[in-house]
Amino acid sequence: MFKRGACLLLSGPSGAGKSTLIGELLREFDDIYFSISTTTRKRREGEVEGRDYYFVSPQEFREGIEKGLFLEWAEVHGNYYGTSLQPVLQALEEGKLVLFDIDVQGFLSVKKSPIASVTTSVFITPPSLEELKRRLEERGSDDPATIERRLENARREIEYMGEYDYILVNDDLERSRREIVAFGTVARLKRDREEVEAFIERWIHTH
Ligand code: ADP
Ligand code: 5GP
């Protein structure tokens, strides 16, 4: 009936568990496309170019901005991060569920973009700031100064929680897994107003 895809946008402090839950979504859904962001930050151990991010130099990133390649971009913790427009449009065209892992600034840009009407947003948060600190330390991929900066950013980001469609408190991982799969399912069912109107139109004329 409807061919076009939908978007599931995830935000939340670094260390909240977004990548972990994205992994669960990728395992659960077939027709899913993870929007691979471009960043100027250094690659973490275990991260793979073209799977987790496209890692580029600040110069290359600026060229991307000038060429209008990004649906949105932002500076986060002193690095640039951006979402490429073309692959997202193609995945939507193919009817896929498009996943975004972007910060609050990116979310605010998407809210004003043409894909807003097919986007479901989820803010993922750890149970507390102390737990976030513990997870970042345990992950072991950031030095103490970077962890401090991420915690500071988390304090700011949490203020925007109320702007999202759903909030997921990532405490018990198995429960979070079930919730994120539910949000993925709901996101799929979200329809663009124009599509709904076209459906009503067709429905009236065939009944
Ligand atoms: P993000 O992508 O939001 O930065 P990650 O998915 O990398 O976060 O998770 C940060 C760390 O916390 C990882 O080491 C991960 O294994 C761990 N983690 C994720 N979810 C939970 C959870 N529910 N309970 C305990 N640890 C978790
Ligand atoms: P990390 O360095 O932990 O991978 O990501 C840091 C922050 O950047 C996270 O809040 C993440 O959601 C955000 N981020 C990742 N990719 C993008 C993007 O393409 N655009 C925006 N605006 N934020 C992003």
Side-chain angles (χ1 to χ4, degrees), residues 10-15 18-19 35-39 41-42 44 47 53 70 72-77 79-84 100-107 109 139 142 150 153 157:
L10 310 180
S11 298
S14 191
K18 298 181 298 296
S19 311
S35 161
I36 303 159
S37 297
T38 301
T39 184
R41 95 147 150 71
K42 285 212 192 73
R44 286 191 196 122
E47 283 183 331
Y53 279 108
F70 296 118
E72 64 75 35
W73 64 271
E75 199 181 333
V76 190
H77 316 130
N79 291 303
Y80 289 119
Y81 292 82
T83 305
S84 298
F100 296 106
D101 171 350
I102 62 179
D103 83 324
V104 166
Q105 303 171 72
F107 161 66
S109 304
R139 185 167 72 185
D142 302 309
R150 288 180 187 278
N153 204 46
E157 288 211 328

Side-chain angles (χ1 to χ4, degrees), residues 13-20 131 134-135 139 170-173:
S14 191
K18 298 181 298 296
S19 311
T20 307
E131 174 62 13
R134 199 193 62 74
R135 287 187 197 169
R139 185 167 72 185
N170 181 20
D171 194 350
D172 174 64
L173 194 54

Side-chain angles (χ1 to χ4, degrees), residues 51-71:
R51 185 194 71 188
D52 300 290
Y53 279 108
Y54 296 114
F55 298 95
V56 300
S57 67
Q59 166 73 14
E60 286 172 298
F61 197 96
R62 278 191 291 270
E63 281 168 16
I65 297 173
E66 276 159 28
K67 288 185 194 147
L69 299 184
F70 296 118
L71 167 67

Side-chain angles (χ1 to χ4, degrees), residues 81-92:
Y81 292 82
T83 305
S84 298
L85 180 60
Q86 210 41 48
V88 169
L89 292 181
Q90 191 184 328
L92 284 175

Side-chain angles (χ1 to χ4, degrees), residues 162-173:
E163 308 254 340
Y164 287 72
D165 294 324
Y166 302 102
I167 293 164
L168 191 160
V169 180
N170 181 20
D171 194 350
D172 174 64
L173 194 54

